[in-house]
Structure formats: structure tokens, C-alpha cells
Amino acid sequence: MSGVIIRTATRQDIEAMTSLLQTLFSIEKDFSPDPARQARGLSLLLDDPCQNHVLVAEDAGQDNGQILGMCVGQLVVSTAQGSASVLVEDVVVHESARGRGIGRLLITALAAWAEKCGATRMQLLADRTNEAALDFYQRLGWTRTNLVCLRHLL
């Protein structure tokens, strides 16, 4: 896709990524937009580039390089796989840029990083009512599991 660059995020991207997360967290019923928390979380991810990979999709046609989308991958160890696995989070594309293949580019780039790190599986959570996201992942070959996500806040 011309006009879009997928690259590793930097601290200069935090404000734009926080804005994208506001859109995502307004869709997901389990989370609430909180720019300060989201910026803090992004900073933590960027502090550990060996375990985390934060990607942005940048509009190459603009001088200021508007951030059009983002995704995050975090390495974890899967005892089921006996190898590294990547937890995928925060896949979001700006509403005005959807349908241009940006989400696919982000996931493909993240998968390349995952393979380079020796991961044999990627996994993610998606809001069960976000049909557009669920359809998107299915088109990319993702399958649903029988697992249920549970959480306990500390």
C-alpha cells in the first residue's frame, strides 16, 4: 500500500497513539478512555523493546506524518506451545483511514517480528460485540477458541 509506512513507535508518537486508544476504548465495554493511563502504559511498553513491539502506521504523504493506526505485541511464554507467544493488543486504525489495508499491514508486520522472536502463536482479545473487528480477524485467518477471558483487578 503506497502512502503508508509501518514503523516502530517512538515516544513522540504517544500523544497520537493515546488519541487512537480513546477511539478503541470507547468501543470496548471492559475499558474506559483515560489518556493519562494510556500514555503511562505506552511509555512502559516503549521502555522494554526486547519484550514489546509497538507499531504505528504513518501517512507518508504528509510532512508531519499523521499516525493512522497502531498495534502492540508483547512476548509471553506459552507452555502449551513450548515456545514464545505474542499477545496482540490495541489494534486500531483511525476511522478516516479504515478500509485501506492498514490493519492488515500492522498485523503482518507484527507477525514478522513475532516469528523473528521465535514465537509460534499470536493471540488477542476482541470485544465480542465488535463485529467489524471480529470479521477483520477472521478474514486474516484468525480463529476463535473455546477459552473465556477472565480478569482480576489489583
Side-chain angles (χ1 to χ4, degrees), residues 34-143:
D34 184 332
R37 278 187 177 184
Q38 275 87 69
R40 190 167 55 247
L42 289 166
S43 290
L44 289 169
L45 289 164
L46 292 172
D47 283 346
D48 193 356
C50 293
Q51 289 297 116
N52 309 309
H53 198 50
V54 183
L55 294 172
V56 293
E58 181 178 49
D59 186 342
Q62 292 188 353
D63 290 335
N64 63 352
Q66 178 186 2
I67 302 301
L68 302 174
M70 64 173 286
C71 71
V72 173
Q74 299 179 56
L75 281 175
V76 296
V77 174
S78 168
T79 55
Q81 293 291 112
S83 64
S85 178
V86 171
L87 175 61
V88 179
E89 291 196 304
D90 303 328
V91 179
V92 59
V93 174
H94 192 279
E95 291 176 61
S96 67
R98 291 183 186 154
R100 294 174 45 191
I102 294 170
R104 179 182 294 271
L105 290 173
L106 286 164
I107 293 293
T108 300
L110 192 61
W113 171 78
E115 286 185 58
K116 191 169 104 176
C117 292
T120 59
R121 178 183 73 204
M122 295 194 331
Q123 59 199 31
L124 60 80
L125 299 172
D127 191 293
R128 73 181 75 226
T129 64
N130 189 345
E131 291 299 325
L134 295 172
D135 290 345
F136 167 74
Y137 293 119
Q138 185 175 10
R139 285 192 310 274
L140 293 182
W142 291 69
T143 57

